C-alpha cells in the first residue's frame, strides 16, 4: 500500500488599484471598452473571447454579458507541459447599468480552479464631482492551493503577468478613446427610460455594441468632452479613496503593486485606527522601509503611531522651543534646497561640542530637538512639493566634518547618538534622500565603523563621502547642490546662518539635581549619567562585579565642584552599601553618596588597590579604562582631596596649598558614567582609542595621559 503524502501550500496575494480617472463621459468610455472584444491585438496575452450568455432588462437599462476568455500565459514551456495545458480560460461576467451609468466586471479562472483561485472585480462609474468623467477601480486576489510543487513559481508568474496587464489595460482604453475621437465620435447620448421614447418600440440604452457611432452623432467638441485637465485641477473621486493622478502628482511613480499596498494599508488604518490617520506620504515611507511588505510595514507604522501618541510628537513643533544654549552651540540648520528640490539641512558636526551638549542639556533635549528637525523636514517636503509641482518626500543632509577628532568619539556621546539614530530610523523611515559628507578626516572611519551597523541598509546606500577637498569641482557638491547655494565655509558664495558652535562652558553642565525639562513628557526615562556628592570623610563608591578575567571597566566623569581623588580597588567578597552623611552641611547633602568599603576592612587584606590614586581638579574631564586580571568585585572610589601630610624632607605642592585655602567647601560634585566590556569588544573600540590618546585637537583643552597601573589602565583628561 502506497501512501501519497501531499504538501499543500497556501499562498494568497491581493491587489487593490487606486481610482483611475478617464476625463471622458461614461458612455464614450464604454464604447472604447467594447472595442476590446471579441479579440484585442493591443493585449497580446488576450487571444479571444466567446459569448456564453447575454441578457437585457425589459427597459434596456441593464445589460449582462458572460464570456469565456482565452489567455496565453507567459510561462516556461516545462511548466505548461507538466500542467498539461497550453492556454488558460477565464469566465468574465459584465453587468452594465445604463441608468446608474456603471459597469461591474467579475472574472474568475476556469482552468485549474481546484488548484489556483483567481478572482477579479472591476468597476466603471461616474466621477462623483464631475459627471463628464469616468472612474475605474480594480481589485483581485490570487490563492494558490497547490500546483505540482511549483507554487512559488506560479505565484511569481501570475503576479508578473497581472501587474504588466494592469497598466496595459488603461493604455488600451485610452487607445480606443483616441481612435473614436479621430473618427469624430466624441459624444454618445445617455440612456433614457421607455416613457421618453416611442412606446411602440422597445426602449434600449446607448449600448456601444448596438448604437450607430458616426461623425453625425458628435454633439460636443473634443476640447469639451475629451481634453484632460491639469493634475492639480483633478478632484478626488472620494475622500476615502486615492486617485491615480493624485498619487503620481504628490507621491511619485509607483508600480501597480506598490499602489495596491498603499491603498490597502490606508484602508486598514481607516477601518481600525481610532486616532489621527497619517498622511499618505507618511504611510508610503513605512512601506518603502519594509520593501512594501504590508504586514511588516503595518507593524512598524502602528508602533510608531503609538509612540507619537504617547509622547505627543504631533505637537512638538508647537510645544518645543530650543534652549538658548542649544541655539548657540548646536551647529545645524535648514539652508534652501538641493538641485532635486529637496530641503537641504546643514550639520557642521566637526565644530559641535557633542560632549558638552550632552552634559549641559542631556539626551532628552537633544532627542527632542532632533525630532523637531525631522518634523520640520516633513513640513518642508510638503511645501516644496507644492512649490515645484512634483513629489518631494525626503530631504538632503550636508554634513561637514572639518574639526572632527577623538573628542567626538567619546563613548557616552556616541551611545546617545546611536539611541537617537534608533528612534529616527524607527519613526522617520525613508525621509533622508541623500547624505553628503564632506571634509572627512582620518578619524572618520572609526566613527563610521561604530555607527554604520545601526543605520538601515537602504539609508547607508544614500551616503556620499568626500575626504579633504574632493567635494570641490565636478563630481562633488556642485552635482547635487546649486553653486549659488553652497555655503561660504565650503568655498561657496552663499552666506550660511548655521551656528559655528564651539566649546560649551563646563559651568553650564547639569547634574541630576537639575532636571532637563520638566515641562514635557520625557521621551527617555533614563539617562546614561549619574551624579554624586563627595563629602569630607564620606567618599562616593560604586560596585562592579566581574565574572571573568580580562574584562574591561571603562569610565568617564567630570568634576563639577571641588577636587577629588579617584581610585580603583578589588575585593573577593561583596561589600555592603551604606548611605552616610558624614560631615555634610545638611541631612540631604549625602543623598547621592554611597559608601561600600567597610571601616573594618584592611587594605591589602580585605581589598587591594589596582589603580594608583589620581588627583582630579575641578573642571576636569577624566576618561579611562582598566583591564581586569581576576573576577570578583571592583570598587570605583571618589574621595575628597586634601593636602597630604608633609614630611620634614618635603614641601607641600602649590596646588595642595591653594586647595587648602579654598577649604570652606565641604562638598564636591561630579557626574559619571561607567561600562563593562568584554575584552574582544573593547579592542579597537572608541573607549580604547580615547584611553590611549590625549590629543583631542582644537576642541579639547590641555590634556594629559598617564599609565599608572600594572594592569594596563590608562587615564586621560
Amino acid at each position: 500500500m502506497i501512501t501519497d503524502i501531499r504538501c499543500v501550500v497556501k499562498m494568497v496575494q491581493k491587489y487593490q488599484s487606486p481610482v483611475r480617472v478617464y476625463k471622458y463621459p461614461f458612455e464614450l468610455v464604454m464604447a472604447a471598452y467594447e472595442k476590446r472584444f471579441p479579440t484585442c491585438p493591443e493585449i497580446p496575452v488576450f487571444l479571444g473571447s466567446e459569448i456564453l450568455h447575454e441578457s437585457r432588462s425589459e427597459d434596456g437599462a441593464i445589460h449582462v454579458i458572460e464570456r469565456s476568455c482565452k489567455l496565453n500565459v507567459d510561462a516556461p514551456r516545462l511548466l505548461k507541459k507538466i500542467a498539461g495545458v497550453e492556454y488558460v480560460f477565464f469566465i468574465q461576467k459584465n453587468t452594465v447599468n445604463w441608468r446608474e451609468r456603471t459597469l461591474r466586471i467579475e472574472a474568475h479562472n476556469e482552468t485549474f480552479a481546484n488548484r489556483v483561485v483567481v478572482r477579479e472585480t472591476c468597476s466603471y462609474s461616474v466621477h462623483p464631482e464631475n459627471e463628464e468623467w469616468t472612474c475605474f477601480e480594480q481589485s483581485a486576489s490570487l490563492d494558490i492551493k497547490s500546483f505540482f510543487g511549483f507554487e512559488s513559481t506560479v505565484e511569481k508568474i501570475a503576479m508578473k503577468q497581472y501587474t504588466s496587464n494592469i497598466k496595459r489595460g488603461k493604455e488600451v482604453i485610452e487607445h480606443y478613446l483616441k481612435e473614436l475621437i479621430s473618427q469624430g465620435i466624441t459624444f454618445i447620448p445617455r440612456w433614457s427610460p421607455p416613457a421618453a421614447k416611442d412606446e411602440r418600440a422597445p426602449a434600449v440604452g446607448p449600448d456601444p455594441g448596438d448604437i450607430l457611432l458616426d461623425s453625425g452623432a458628435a454633439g460636443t467638441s473634443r476640447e469639451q468632452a475629451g481634453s484632460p485637465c491639469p493634475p492639480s485641477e483633478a478632484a478626488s473621486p472620494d475622500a476615502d479613496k486615492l486617485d491615480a493622478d493624485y498619487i503620481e502628482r504628490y507621491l511619485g511613480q509607483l508600480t501597480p503593486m506598490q499602489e495596491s499596498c498603499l491603498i490597502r494599508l490606508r484602508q486598514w488604518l481607516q477601518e481600525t485606527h481610532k486616532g489621527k490617520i497619517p498622511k499618505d506620504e507618511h504611510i508610503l515611507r513605512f512601506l518603502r522601509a519594509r520593501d512594501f511588505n504590508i504586514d511588516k510595514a503595518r507593524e512598524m507604522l502602528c508602533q510608531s503611531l503609538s509612540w507619537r501618541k504617547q509622547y505627543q510628537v504631533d505637537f512638538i513643533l508647537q510645544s518645543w522651543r530650543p534652549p538658548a544654549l542649544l541655539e548657540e552651540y548646536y551647529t545645524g540648520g535648514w539652508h534652501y534646497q538641493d538641485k532635486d528640490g529637496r530641503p537641504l539641512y546643514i550639520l557642521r558636526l566637526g565644530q559641535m561640542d557633542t560632549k558638552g551638549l550632552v552634559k549641559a542639556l542631556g539626551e532628552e533635549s537633544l532627542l527632542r530637538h532632533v525630532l523637531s528637525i525631522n518634523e520640520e523636514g516633513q513640513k518642508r517636503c510638503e511645501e516644496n512639493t507644492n512649490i515645484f509641482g512634483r513629489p518631494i518626500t525626503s530631504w538632503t543632509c550636508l554634513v561637514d566634518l572639518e574639526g572632527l577628532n577623538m573628542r567626538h568619539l567619546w563613548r557616552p556621546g556616541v551611545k546617545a547618538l546611536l539611541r537617537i539614530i534608533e528612534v529616527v530610523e524607527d519613526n522617520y523611515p525613508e525621509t533622508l534622500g541623500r547624505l553628503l559628507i564632506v571634509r572627512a578626516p582620518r578619524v572618520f572611519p572609526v566613527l563610521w565603523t561604530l555607527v554604520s551597523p545601526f543605520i538601515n541598509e537602504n539609508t547607508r546606500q544614500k551616503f556620499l563621502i568626500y575626504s579633504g577637498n574632493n567635494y570641490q569641482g565636478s563630481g562633488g557638491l556642485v552635482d547635487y547642490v546649486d553653486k549659488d547655494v553652497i555655503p561660504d565655509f565650503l568655498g561657496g558664495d552663499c552666506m550660511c546662518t548655521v551656528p559655528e558652535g564651539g566649546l560649551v562652558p563646563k559651568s553650564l553642565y547639569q547634574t541630576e539635581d537639575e532636571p532637563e525639562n520638566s515641562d514635557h513628557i520625557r521621551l527617555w526615562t533614563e539617562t546614561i549619567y549619574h551624579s554624586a556628592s563627595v563629602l569630607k570623610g564620606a567618599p562616593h563608591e560604586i560596585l562592579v562585579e566581574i565574572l571573568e578575567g580580562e574584562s574591561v571597566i571603562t569610565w568617564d566623569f567630570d568634576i563639577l565642584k571641588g577636587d577629588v581623588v579617584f581610585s580603583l580597588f578589588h575585593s573577593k567578597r561583596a561589600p555592603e552599601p551604606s548611605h552616610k552623611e558624614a560631615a555634610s552641611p545638611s541631612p540631604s547633602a549625602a543623598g547621592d553618596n554611597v559608601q561600600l568599603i567597610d571601616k573594618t576592612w584592611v587594605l591589602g587584606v580585605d581589598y587591594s588597590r589596582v589603580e594608583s590614586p589620581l588627583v582630579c581638579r575641578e573642571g576636569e574631564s577624566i576618561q579611562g579604562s582598566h583591564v581586569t586580571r581576576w573576577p570578583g568585585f571592583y570598587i570605583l572610589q571618589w574621595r575628597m582631596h586634601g593636602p597630604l601630610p608633609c614630611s620634614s624632607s618635603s614641601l607641600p605642592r602649590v596646588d595642595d596649598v591653594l586647595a587648602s585655602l579654598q577649604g570652606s567647601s565641604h562638598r564636591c560634585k561630579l557626574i559619571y558614567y561607567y561600562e563593562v566590556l568584554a575584552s574582544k569588544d573593547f579592542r579597537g573600540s572608541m573607549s580604547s582609542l580615547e584611553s590611549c590618546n590625549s590629543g583631542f585637537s582644537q576642541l579639547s583643552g590641555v590634556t594629559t595621559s598617564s599609565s599608572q597601573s600594572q594592569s594596563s589602565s590608562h587615564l586621560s583628561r
Side-chain angles (χ1 to χ4, degrees):
M1 181 177 179
I2 299 176
T3 304
D4 183 14
I5 302 177
R6 298 172 182 259
C7 179
V8 179
V9 180
K10 188 175 181 65
M11 299 182 179
V12 180
Q13 288 279 4
K14 293 184 178 180
Y15 170 78
Q16 175 63 58
S17 76
V19 178
R20 307 191 188 280
V21 178
Y22 296 99
K23 299 176 179 67
Y24 303 93
F26 174 79
E27 289 73 21
L28 195 62
V29 173
M30 290 299 98
Y33 175 77
E34 281 298 321
K35 281 182 166 287
R36 295 176 49 173
F37 302 100
T39 60
C40 182
E42 301 298 323
I43 306 179
V45 70
F46 183 60
L47 300 180
S49 62
E50 176 186 352
I51 296 178
L52 302 178
H53 173 76
E54 183 174 7
S55 64
R56 286 191 179 91
S57 62
E58 290 185 5
D59 60 2
I62 309 296
H63 185 187
V64 180
I65 299 179
E66 189 170 322
R67 295 183 175 94
S68 173
C69 302
K70 183 180 180 181
L71 305 180
N72 181 23
V73 179
D74 184 15
R77 184 69 185 171
L78 177 61
L79 185 61
K80 288 185 176 181
K81 188 174 182 180
I82 293 173
V85 297
E86 188 68 29
Y87 307 108
V88 175
F89 290 88
F90 275 75
I91 302 299
Q92 183 189 76
K93 179 182 178 181
N94 293 356
T95 304
V96 62
N97 186 325
W98 295 109
R99 181 187 295 109
E100 302 293 336
R101 303 177 76 196
T102 62
L103 169 64
R104 180 177 176 82
I105 305 169
E106 298 170 292
H108 65 273
N109 63 304
E110 187 177 27
T111 307
F112 297 119
N114 61 331
R115 295 182 177 274
V116 179
V117 178
V118 180
R119 297 191 182 279
E120 180 186 54
T121 302
C122 307
S123 66
Y124 289 85
S125 59
V126 178
H127 195 293
E129 296 179 13
N130 188 332
E131 62 179 13
E132 295 300 318
W133 292 353
T134 304
C135 297
F136 172 76
E137 285 186 84
Q138 182 177 12
S139 63
S141 64
L142 169 66
D143 184 356
I144 302 178
K145 300 175 186 285
S146 65
F147 204 87
F148 312 106
F150 291 91
E151 291 81 12
S152 179
T153 302
V154 171
E155 179 191 29
K156 291 177 182 178
I157 292 173
M159 295 308 298
K160 180 181 178 181
Q161 192 90 61
Y162 189 78
T163 53
S164 64
N165 288 333
I166 289 171
K167 184 179 180 181
R168 188 65 184 147
K170 183 180 180 182
E171 293 173 350
V172 168
I173 294 295
E174 290 175 340
H175 167 77
Y176 286 126
L177 282 167
K178 291 177 182 178
E179 185 178 284
L180 289 171
I181 292 170
S182 68
Q183 298 170 1
I185 303 167
T186 59
F187 174 77
I188 296 176
R190 298 183 187 178
W191 175 88
S192 57
K197 295 181 178 290
D198 186 348
E199 295 184 1
R200 293 172 298 177
V204 294
D207 194 322
D210 300 331
I211 194 168
L212 278 176
L213 300 177
D214 54 31
S215 57
T220 58
S221 68
R222 179 177 180 179
E223 287 75 20
Q224 289 174 316
S227 60
C229 68
S232 59
E233 298 176 12
S236 174
D238 192 313
D240 293 332
K241 295 181 179 180
L242 290 182
D243 182 348
D245 290 338
Y246 162 83
I247 291 177
E248 185 175 349
R249 165 64 177 83
Y250 292 98
L251 303 180
Q253 292 284 348
L254 301 179
T255 68
M257 291 309 297
Q258 289 173 345
E259 290 177 336
S260 173
C261 291
L262 173 62
I263 293 166
R264 289 166 56 200
L265 183 52
R266 189 175 183 266
Q267 287 177 342
W268 181 84
L269 286 170
Q270 290 170 341
E271 294 169 0
T272 61
H273 187 60
K274 296 181 180 179
K276 179 182 177 182
I277 302 296
K279 295 180 178 179
D280 298 322
E281 53 267 31
H282 195 65
I283 299 174
L284 185 58
R285 289 187 181 109
F286 284 85
L287 283 165
R288 291 189 192 278
R290 292 296 177 262
D291 295 323
F292 287 88
N293 182 306
I294 285 190
D295 292 334
K296 292 181 179 179
R298 180 191 295 123
E299 180 182 358
M300 184 183 184
L301 179 56
C302 287
Q303 290 175 351
S304 179
L305 292 176
S306 176
W307 172 81
R308 295 182 70 89
K309 181 179 180 181
Q310 181 179 357
Y311 298 112
Q312 301 181 5
V313 179
D314 286 334
F315 308 103
I316 198 168
L317 288 180
Q318 294 78 32
S319 62
W320 170 247
R321 294 294 177 268
L325 186 148
L326 195 60
E327 292 184 328
E328 181 178 356
Y329 291 99
Y330 190 88
T331 56
W334 294 101
H335 182 80
Y336 301 101
Q337 54 271 328
D338 69 3
K339 285 187 173 182
D340 295 324
R342 295 189 184 104
L344 177 62
Y345 190 84
I346 293 180
L347 182 63
R348 303 184 68 177
L349 183 60
Q351 302 300 315
M352 187 185 300
D353 182 10
T354 53
K355 181 175 182 179
L357 286 174
V358 170
K359 292 191 174 184
L361 294 170
E363 302 160 72
E364 175 76 17
S365 292
L366 286 177
L367 173 60
R368 196 170 290 276
H369 189 60
V370 171
L371 295 184
S372 70
I373 292 171
N374 279 269
E375 292 292 315
E376 176 69 20
Q378 292 183 138
K379 180 180 176 183
R380 287 173 178 261
C381 285
E382 293 178 25
E383 293 172 352
N384 284 16
T385 294
N386 293 324
I387 292 172
F388 295 105
R390 61 179 183 273
I392 296 172
T393 58
S394 61
W395 54 84
T396 292
C397 186
L398 172 58
V399 180
D400 179 21
L401 296 184
E402 174 73 8
L404 188 78
N405 51 66
M406 296 303 296
R407 184 182 179 89
H408 292 87
L409 300 185
W410 171 63
R411 187 176 188 84
V414 174
K415 192 169 184 178
L417 172 63
L418 295 180
R419 296 173 72 187
I420 291 175
I421 289 175
E422 183 180 12
V423 172
V424 172
E425 286 277 310
D426 288 344
N427 298 283
Y428 299 92
E430 297 298 316
T431 53
L432 182 65
R434 182 180 293 119
L435 182 69
L436 303 169
I437 299 176
V438 300
R439 301 200 284 191
R442 285 183 296 176
V443 75
F444 173 71
V446 180
L447 179 62
W448 178 247
T449 300
L450 295 166
V451 173
S452 60
F454 296 87
I455 301 175
N456 181 276
E457 176 62 28
N458 291 339
T459 304
R460 289 205 300 268
Q461 292 177 356
K462 301 171 185 176
F463 285 33
L464 293 170
I465 302 172
Y466 301 92
S467 61
N469 294 323
N470 291 342
Y471 67 91
Q472 298 176 344
S474 178
L477 289 184
V478 291
D479 286 10
Y480 307 100
V481 181
D482 286 329
K483 193 173 182 180
D484 57 354
V485 173
I486 295 177
D488 50 350
F489 62 85
L490 291 177
D493 299 325
C494 187
M495 291 296 295
C496 183
T497 58
V498 173
E500 295 184 0
L503 283 174
V504 177
K506 291 185 178 180
S507 59
L508 299 179
Y509 286 7
Q510 287 186 341
T511 67
E512 289 179 356
D513 297 337
E514 304 170 275
E516 293 178 26
N517 198 331
S518 58
D519 297 332
H520 297 286
I521 297 176
R522 290 183 62 83
L523 292 158
W524 278 335
T525 57
E526 77 280 353
T527 177
I528 62 174
Y529 278 98
H530 304 276
S531 65
S533 295
V534 179
L535 312 173
K536 278 189 175 182
H540 178 68
E541 297 164 340
I542 57 175
L543 182 67
V544 179
E545 183 178 5
I546 299 297
L547 300 178
E548 58 183 24
E550 295 192 356
S551 295
V552 182
I553 305 172
T554 68
W555 54 81
D556 176 275
F557 58 89
D558 280 66
I559 310 303
L560 303 180
K561 181 180 179 183
D563 298 341
V564 302
V565 177
F566 173 72
S567 300
L568 181 65
F569 302 97
H570 172 262
S571 174
K572 293 182 179 179
R573 58 176 174 146
E576 295 292 333
S578 64
H579 293 265
K580 297 190 178 180
E581 298 180 7
S584 62
S586 65
S588 62
D592 52 358
N593 175 273
V594 177
Q595 295 182 55
L596 298 170
I597 299 177
D598 192 275
K599 295 291 186 182
T600 62
W601 281 21
V602 177
L603 183 62
V605 178
D606 299 288
Y607 67 109
S608 59
R609 188 188 303 275
V610 294
E611 285 282 356
S612 300
L614 181 71
V615 177
C616 309
R617 304 297 180 181
E618 181 175 317
E620 289 185 336
S621 296
I622 311 295
Q623 298 87 38
S625 61
H626 175 86
V627 181
T628 62
R629 288 185 177 181
W630 319 279
F633 300 92
Y634 287 79
I635 301 169
L636 284 71
Q637 182 194 77
W638 294 267
R639 61 178 172 83
M640 186 172 285
H641 174 61
L644 296 174
C646 302
S647 65
S648 57
S649 61
S650 65
L651 295 174
R653 295 171 58 231
V654 174
D655 288 346
D656 294 336
V657 173
L658 292 175
S660 66
L661 293 176
Q662 301 172 352
S664 58
S665 174
H666 296 275
R667 183 186 187 192
C668 299
K669 294 200 70 175
L670 66 127
I671 55 175
Y672 66 90
Y673 162 83
Y674 70 94
E675 187 174 7
V676 178
L677 300 172
S679 179
K680 60 181 177 62
D681 296 329
F682 180 74
R683 290 190 191 1
S685 74
M686 154 206 15
S687 291
S688 65
L689 288 169
E690 272 205 331
S691 300
C692 301
N693 289 270
S694 57
F696 289 163
S697 78
Q698 73 271 21
L699 277 185
S700 177
V702 178
T703 59
T704 59
S705 171
S706 62
S707 176
Q708 302 179 336
S709 170
Q710 297 178 352
S711 53
S712 304
S713 174
H714 303 273
L715 299 178
S716 61
R717 287 187 175 86

